[in-house]
Amino acid sequence: MKVRVASAGTGKTTSLVLRYLELIGRGTPLRRCAGVTFTRKAADELRQRVSEAVRAVLRDGSYLGGAYTLADEARPAFEEARRELDGATLTTIHGFMITGLRLVAPLLSLDPDFTVLGEWEAEALFEEELNTVLYLASEPSHGLYEAKTQLGAEAAALVLGLFGQRSLTERFLADAHPNNRALQQLFEAAYRRFEVRLGSSLLPPSEIERRALRLARSGPVVGRLIARFPYVLVDEFQDVNPLQGRFFEALEAGGANVEVVGDPKQSIYGFRNADVEVFRRALATGDVQDPLVTTRRHAPALAAFLNQMTERFADAKLGFGPDEAPAVEAHRTVPAGRAELHWVTGEDAIAKLRAFEGDLLAERLRTLHDEEGYAYGDMAVLARAYNGIAVVEEALRRAGLPVVLVQGRGYFERIEIRDLYHALRVGIDPAGLSLAAWLRSPFGRLELSDVDDVLRADDPVAWLEHHHPPVFSRLQQIRERIRGNPLDNLKFLIRERFIEVGGEKQRYVDVLASRARENVDALLFTVAEQPPGDIEVLLDRLELLSRQTDAGDVPQSGEGIEVLTVHRSKGLEWPVVAVYDAGRMDYHPPQPLYLNPDNDHVYHRDSEGFEAARKTILERERQESYRLLYVAASRARDVLVVTGSVKNDKPNGWADALIRSGLGDASARNRVAQVFRHSYTPERSRPDAALSVDTIRPAPWIDKRFAVYPHPPVQSPSRFKQDRAAEAEDEIFTISDPDAGESLPGRGTTVGTLVHYAISQNWRHDNPTHIDNLRAQEVMFPFGAAQQDELLGEVTTLLSHYETMLGDTLPSLQDRDADFPELPMALPVGATVWQGIVDRLYRVGDVWYLDDYKTDRVVAPSSYAFQMAVYLKAVRAARGVTPQVRLVYLRAREVVGLEPAHLDAVFDEALEPN
C-alpha cells in the first residue's frame, strides 16, 4: 500500500487528481480506477476536480501550469476518459463498498438490489431483537437467564451501547468476569437475530463494512472486484474506522493497488469510530511516499506558527508524532500574515470570563475589518462546542457585527418551526395539546393568565369565542383552511395576512427576525422538495425531526462572519479565522462500559479491566483534542486569532498546551505568535472599544438599566438543569457527538407518559379496557400496531411492578387518607415561578408522602435531587407539611428516599448566584 502524509493546505486532493492523470496517461481506463473519500461533499469535489483536470489536459495540453503534460500518444486515452467521466467511481467509502457488494452479490448470498438502512433504523431493529432475547431470557430454563440476571435492569442499555461501537471490531471479546461474559453473550444472541432480520436485502452501514470485509478476504470473490477496480485511490485515510481499514488492507493483500493519502494531524472523528491507528499502521507497514510539504493556503507567518506548533506538540507527544508532522513551506509570500493569542484572565466565574472573551473577539474582528480592510464575509469564528457558538454569536451581534450561522443545533426545535407545528395541530384538533402553545404564539398572542383561563374552561373553544373573539376568529380560519395539501397549508399560515397587531393585519413572517424567516423559508423548501401525502404525515415528520439532535439551523444567507464548530470547519478555509474558547477543559463523561481498542475486549464498570480500558480511551480522546486544535488553527489563510479564558492563572485545554509549549507564553523568546493578556474584573466587564466615542454626548438615560434576574419568569427544574449544564465549568453535559441523535424518537417518552397516566388513573395492567384506553392515547398515534403492542407490553410490565409494590414498599390505595395524583405545582422564588407536576402526594395517618415514579433503566437518585427539592419546597409552601420524598423506580421495584435536609441544601446551592 502506498501511503502519503499531506498536511493541511498542501493539496491532498490535488495529489490524487495528478495521480488520476498519470494512470490515464499510462493507459489505465478511468473506469478501472476507484476514487474513495470520507464524505459525499468531498467525493463530489473529487469528481469535479478530476473532470476539470481531464478537460484541461485535452484543451490546454497540460494541467496546473505543467504539473502534468499531455503526451501525444496519450490523447486517445484522455478522450476515452472524458466520455467515462459521468460514470466514474468517485464516491465515499461506504459507496465504494456498496458498489463492490452489488458487483458480487450472488456470491455473498446478497440481493443485488439490497436496501441501505439508516443507522437509527438499524438500531431500532436491533433493539426489538434485543428486547425479544431479554424477554425469553426471563425464564430460568433459558440459556441466557444467568446473563440477563447478572446485568439486571441495565442489560438493554449496555448491549445497545455495544451495538453503536460495532465498527471498532469484528467481534467483541470478553474475559472471565461474569458481567463481561454476560454482555458478550447477550449481544451475540441479539445480533444473530438481527442478522436474520436483515436477511439478504437490508444492510445498514456497519453491516456493509462487515460484508465488504468478508468480500475482500474471499479469494474467488475479491478477484472480481479487483478486476473491475485494479487501482483504488483513498483520500482522508486518517478518518477511516478499524473495519474500513482492514477492508482496504485486505484489498491490497488480494492484489489491488491501494494508494492512500491523509494527515494523522487531522484525525478528529473518534466519536464516529474513526481510528488514527489505522493510518499509523499503514505508515509502519506500507510504501511511504514523500510527504507533501508546500502549503498554498497559509501566509508565511502562519506556516511558521503551524510548523512550530506541530514540532513542539510532536516532541511532547500531544496528538501526533514527528513522522506525522513534516515542516511545510509557504508558497505564498504576501501578505505575511500573523497569529495572535489572547488570554482573558481573572478570578470570576468562567462564564463571565467567556462572555468577556466573546466581546474581546468581536472588537478584534471589527478592528481587522475597519483598519486592515478584511471583509466580514472573509472571516470565520470556530468554537470547540455548540454551547460556545451561542455565546460568541451573542457577542458578535451585541457588537453590531453581521453574523452568518453556518450550522447550529435544534432547527426543528426552533420556536418558529414549533409555532407552525402547533398551528397545524390546532387546525386538526382545536382542543388538543397544542392549543396552549398556539395561544401563546404570534397566532394567539394571549397572556399566560388568559391562556390559563382558556385551558381551565370545560369547553376551551367556546370560552375563547366568548372572551377573545379575535383569537377565536383566527382559530376558525385555520380550522377551515388546514386540510388537503400540506404545502398549501404552510403557505397559508406563513403568508396570509390574518394576524391582527395594533389594528393592522400582518403575516406570520412579519413578526419574525431575519434568521427565523430564513428557517421558515427553508421549511417551505423542504416540504416542497419532499411533499408528504397528508397533513398528519407532515406533523409526524416534524415531531420526529424535533427529537433528533443533528438537525441544525439552516445555513444563513448573506454576508457576515461565519460561526461554526471546529468539526464543521474541516476542509474549509478563510482569510481570517478566530478560534474561540481555547481555555475550555476536556471532559469525558463517565461510561458504564468500555471497549479497549488494544485487545477488543469489553469491560463492564465492575470488572477488573475497566479502569485500564477507561484510561486508554481517555488518553485517545485527549490526543484527539490536540489534533482538533491543529485543524482549527490551519483553517486560516492570513490571520489567526485564538482566544481563551484562564481562571486563577490555571489554563486548561488548548490554552494550557499552547502556553506550556511556549507558543502562548508572552515571556517566551523566539515566538511566532503575538501573545496578549487581558485582565477581567467586574468593573471592566466589557473590553475597551476599538472606536472613540468622545464626540458623542451621552443621553440622560444612558446609565439606566433594566433589572436583570438570574432566571426566566417561568422555569422548570429540568430546563434549569440543562441551562446550568451548558454554563458549567466542568462541561458535564456537553454532547461530544454533534451527529448523534435519539435512535427511535419518542419511544422512552411514550412509555413514561403512558405509565404515569395509568398510575394517576389507578388503572390496572390486567384490565383490557384500561389497556385499550392507553392504546387510544395521542402519544401512540405515531406508532404502528406492532410497535404499539410492544410498547404496551412494556407498560403493562411496569404497571404490574407498581401493583406488586402497593401494600409492600408503597402504602396501599385503601390505606391513604388523602391522595392527589398528577398534582400541578407552582413555586414563586424571587422573580421566578418554578412549575411542574408532582406525580403523587398522599397522606397515611399523620405522614405525608411525595412520590415520583421513574421508568429509568438505571437507578440514579442524584440526577433528580434538584427536581425533588423544588417539589418539596412547593408542598411545604402550599400545605405547611414536610412529606417523605421518595423516588419509585418501577423497573427495579425499588423505593429510594431522599432526605429533606439534603434536598434543601441542593436547592440553595443550585440557586446560589454565580
Side-chain angles (χ1 to χ4, degrees):
M1 182 182 293
K2 292 183 178 179
V3 187
R4 189 189 299 275
V5 172
S7 299
T10 58
K12 291 192 297 294
T13 305
T14 299
S15 70
L16 283 178
V17 173
L18 289 173
R19 184 63 179 136
Y20 261 99
L21 299 181
E22 292 172 2
L23 291 171
I24 295 170
R26 284 179 5 196
T28 302
L30 180 61
R31 63 183 179 276
R32 298 303 181 204
C33 303
V36 184
T37 188
F38 189 60
T39 65
R40 292 188 183 94
K41 180 180 178 181
D44 291 340
E45 180 186 358
L46 181 59
R47 176 180 297 278
Q48 181 181 355
R49 295 278 298 276
V50 171
S51 177
E52 291 173 351
V54 170
R55 289 184 166 90
V57 167
L58 289 171
R59 182 183 65 246
D60 305 326
S62 65
Y63 178 64
L64 287 183
Y68 179 84
T69 302
L70 176 66
D72 290 340
E73 62 273 16
R75 179 169 287 276
F78 277 91
E79 293 284 1
E80 182 182 27
R82 179 169 58 182
R83 293 191 295 270
E84 295 178 348
L85 282 171
D86 290 341
T89 300
L90 296 152
T91 184
T92 63
I93 295 174
H94 283 131
F96 178 61
M97 289 178 167
I98 290 169
T99 298
L101 289 173
R102 294 197 193 282
L103 183 66
V104 299
L107 300 177
L108 296 175
S109 300
L110 276 178
D111 181 346
D113 293 325
F114 62 80
T115 299
V116 179
L117 286 182
E119 187 60 23
W120 73 269
E121 295 175 283
E123 186 170 343
L125 293 179
F126 179 81
E127 186 175 7
E128 290 181 6
E129 298 303 331
L130 173 61
N131 288 337
T132 300
V133 169
L134 294 176
Y135 175 78
L136 296 174
S138 299
E139 290 294 327
S141 60
H142 195 276
L144 293 174
Y145 175 77
E146 291 186 6
K148 178 179 183 290
T149 304
Q150 182 69 34
L151 296 178
E154 64 177 357
L158 291 173
V159 177
L160 279 174
L162 275 187
F163 184 77
Q165 302 182 64
R166 64 197 190 285
S167 288
L168 293 175
T169 179
E170 296 179 58
R171 183 170 184 257
F172 296 114
L173 304 178
D175 59 18
H177 190 280
N179 284 0
N180 298 337
R181 289 288 299 157
L183 274 169
Q184 182 193 42
Q185 291 170 355
L186 290 174
F187 175 84
E188 290 183 349
Y191 192 77
R192 284 193 295 269
R193 297 178 62 95
F194 171 70
E195 287 188 302
V196 173
R197 178 84 168 265
L198 295 178
S200 63
S201 58
L202 297 175
L203 283 184
S206 287
E207 281 56 51
I208 288 173
E209 294 166 358
R210 292 172 181 273
R211 296 294 184 98
L213 184 55
R214 189 184 309 170
L215 178 162
R217 287 176 174 168
S218 174
V221 178
V222 75
R224 292 195 61 185
L225 179 60
I226 294 175
R228 177 69 174 83
F229 300 110
Y231 289 92
V232 181
L233 311 181
V234 187
D235 194 8
E236 304 288 0
F237 196 66
Q238 77 277 351
D239 292 327
V240 302
N241 65 43
L243 291 190
Q244 294 167 349
R246 290 168 189 164
F247 167 74
F248 289 115
E249 291 167 359
L251 279 186
E252 174 77 19
N257 297 287
V258 179
E259 303 178 18
V260 304
V261 61
D263 184 7
K265 299 187 297 300
Q266 297 187 68
S267 178
I268 60 171
Y269 291 116
F271 62 87
R272 291 179 180 168
N273 293 330
D275 188 352
V276 70
E277 296 302 324
V278 176
F279 194 103
R280 288 172 173 165
R281 189 164 64 243
L283 281 175
T285 61
D287 179 9
V288 180
Q289 308 292 293
D290 292 336
L292 301 179
V293 294
T294 300
T295 172
R296 297 177 180 271
R297 174 187 301 170
H298 305 108
L302 278 182
F305 173 79
L306 291 172
N307 281 338
Q308 196 167 113
M309 185 179 83
T310 54
E311 178 186 358
R312 295 184 181 183
F313 277 29
D315 289 343
K317 298 181 180 179
L318 301 181
F320 37 82
D323 59 333
E324 300 164 356
V328 299
E329 180 180 353
H331 181 266
R332 299 165 51 205
T333 57
V334 291
R338 68 181 178 279
E340 304 175 5
L341 308 182
H342 297 263
W343 308 132
V344 173
T345 61
E347 299 178 357
D348 288 74
I350 194 69
K352 294 182 179 180
L353 299 185
R354 286 173 179 161
F356 181 87
E357 178 189 338
D359 293 331
L360 172 73
L361 177 56
E363 291 302 325
R364 189 70 198 99
L365 296 181
R366 186 202 303 277
T367 301
L368 287 169
H369 172 270
D370 293 347
E371 298 182 5
E372 301 187 34
Y374 285 103
Y376 288 126
D378 289 335
M379 301 179 182
V381 178
L382 312 182
R384 288 193 66 178
Y386 276 105
N387 49 13
I389 285 182
V391 177
V392 76
E393 181 193 6
E394 180 181 350
L396 295 174
R397 294 190 185 281
R398 190 162 54 239
L401 305 185
V403 178
V404 176
L405 189 67
V406 176
Q407 183 69 48
R409 289 181 76 83
Y411 167 69
F412 290 97
E413 290 182 331
R414 294 281 300 189
I415 188 65
E416 58 272 14
I417 304 302
R418 299 305 290 171
D419 279 348
L420 294 172
Y421 170 85
H422 292 302
L424 293 169
R425 274 285 179 208
V426 297
I428 298 173
D429 180 10
L433 296 177
S434 287
L435 179 61
W438 182 84
L439 292 172
R440 286 291 291 155
S441 75
F443 294 104
R445 307 180 68 84
L446 290 186
E447 298 295 330
L448 279 172
S449 58
D450 294 328
V451 173
D452 185 60
D453 290 338
V454 174
L455 298 180
R456 287 179 181 274
D458 293 334
D459 187 342
V461 177
W463 176 279
L464 198 62
E465 180 181 12
H466 182 70
H467 293 86
H468 303 282
V471 180
F472 174 77
S473 175
R474 290 196 287 275
L475 177 60
Q476 289 301 95
Q477 291 182 65
I478 291 177
R479 293 178 66 184
E480 293 168 1
R481 296 289 296 270
I482 300 303
R483 57 172 59 91
N485 189 317
L487 181 59
D488 291 340
N489 295 330
L490 277 177
K491 289 179 180 178
F492 161 73
L493 292 173
I494 294 168
R495 298 174 178 173
E496 189 78 14
R497 294 185 181 275
F498 73 107
I499 302 176
E500 186 172 336
V501 181
E504 295 183 0
K505 297 289 187 179
Q506 290 189 347
R507 305 172 301 171
Y508 176 69
V509 292
D510 294 333
V511 302
L512 301 180
S514 59
R515 186 201 300 178
R517 286 196 296 270
E518 289 170 347
N519 286 335
V520 167
D521 289 340
L523 179 64
L524 283 175
F525 283 120
T526 300
V527 175
E529 288 175 357
Q530 296 179 323
D534 57 51
I535 196 68
E536 287 289 356
V537 174
L538 172 60
L539 289 169
D540 289 346
R541 182 190 299 176
L542 292 176
E543 185 64 18
L544 182 147
L545 290 171
S546 72
R547 298 177 184 179
Q548 294 182 351
T549 61
D550 61 348
D553 285 3
V554 298
Q556 292 180 284
S557 61
E559 284 292 311
I561 302 169
E562 298 187 27
V563 179
L564 64 163
T565 63
V566 179
H567 282 99
R568 297 284 183 184
S569 74
K570 182 78 176 298
L572 305 176
E573 60 182 75
W574 296 265
V576 177
V577 168
V579 180
Y580 170 76
D581 202 11
R584 179 178 293 268
M585 68 169 57
D586 297 321
Y587 178 76
H588 176 85
Q591 303 295 323
L593 64 86
Y594 286 101
L595 172 67
N596 192 328
D598 294 336
N599 59 15
D600 293 342
H601 275 59
V602 176
Y603 294 99
H604 185 272
R605 61 172 169 262
D606 294 334
S607 63
E608 183 177 350
F610 176 81
E611 192 57 34
R614 179 176 180 273
K615 289 181 179 179
T616 299
I617 298 298
L618 286 176
E619 178 60 20
R620 287 198 171 203
E621 292 190 357
R622 187 178 76 91
Q623 294 294 325
E624 184 172 295
S625 75
Y626 299 123
R627 298 194 290 270
L628 192 66
L629 171 59
Y630 172 80
V631 169
S634 61
R635 299 308 96 194
R637 299 184 65 228
D638 301 341
V639 179
L640 172 67
V641 179
V642 178
T643 66
S645 295
V646 178
K647 182 178 178 179
N648 298 328
D649 289 325
K650 296 179 180 178
N652 287 308
W654 296 345
D656 180 48
L658 289 168
I659 292 172
R660 283 193 291 112
S661 68
L663 292 166
D665 185 352
S667 63
R669 291 186 173 186
N670 301 321
R671 285 181 289 103
V672 290
Q674 302 172 17
V675 181
F676 305 89
R677 292 175 66 88
H678 308 267
S679 298
Y680 171 86
T681 60
E683 294 77 18
R684 187 173 179 243
S685 59
R686 295 287 300 278
D688 296 333
L691 302 178
S692 174
V693 294
D694 294 340
T695 60
I696 302 176
R697 182 182 298 277
W701 39 260
I702 194 68
D703 293 325
K704 296 184 181 297
R705 297 287 187 272
F706 289 104
V708 178
Y709 299 105
H711 309 291
V714 179
Q715 180 73 301
S716 69
S718 57
R719 181 64 189 178
F720 170 76
K721 179 180 177 182
Q722 296 173 9
D723 292 343
R724 286 296 294 269
E727 299 177 359
E729 183 176 354
D730 57 10
E731 307 296 337
I732 291 178
F733 292 95
T734 297
I735 299 175
S736 60
D737 180 1
D739 290 331
E742 189 176 350
S743 59
L744 187 58
R747 182 186 184 87
T749 302
T750 300
V751 170
T753 300
L754 295 176
V755 169
H756 280 74
Y757 185 63
I759 290 177
S760 72
Q761 300 299 310
N762 295 327
W763 287 352
R764 294 187 56 83
H765 81 283
D766 54 359
N767 187 316
T769 301
H770 294 168
I771 301 304
D772 287 343
N773 288 342
L774 290 177
R775 187 187 298 273
Q777 298 302 306
E778 186 175 6
V779 294
M780 294 289 273
F781 293 173
F783 299 95
Q787 293 174 309
Q788 290 183 5
D789 290 340
E790 183 180 351
L791 289 168
L792 290 174
E794 189 171 354
V795 169
T796 54
T797 298
L798 294 173
L799 288 178
S800 68
H801 288 181
Y802 169 71
E803 292 161 15
T804 61
M805 297 171 73
L806 290 173
D808 183 14
T809 54
L810 298 176
S812 65
L813 300 180
Q814 295 79 9
D815 293 338
R816 303 179 186 186
D817 300 302
D819 196 356
F820 304 99
E822 295 289 308
L823 184 64
M825 57 74 53
L827 175 68
V829 179
T832 299
V833 176
W834 297 85
Q835 65 178 15
I837 300 291
V838 175
D839 286 352
R840 202 110 183 188
L841 179 68
Y842 57 92
R843 179 171 59 85
V844 178
D846 296 329
V847 180
W848 283 90
Y849 296 90
L850 193 163
D851 286 354
D852 198 78
Y853 306 115
K854 298 300 177 187
T855 58
D856 300 8
R857 298 181 182 277
V858 178
V859 176
S862 60
S863 303
Y864 299 102
F866 178 73
Q867 174 190 359
M868 304 310 295
V870 173
Y871 294 164
L872 173 62
K873 291 277 187 182
V875 171
R876 279 178 178 160
R879 295 191 169 269
V881 299
T882 298
Q884 293 189 16
V885 182
R886 310 188 304 178
L887 296 173
V888 181
Y889 285 90
L890 299 175
R891 293 185 188 275
R893 284 178 275 196
E894 180 178 346
V895 177
V896 179
L898 303 176
E899 289 296 328
H902 172 66
L903 296 180
D904 290 341
V906 168
F907 186 88
D908 294 340
E909 180 183 358
L911 298 188
E912 186 178 74
N914 288 335

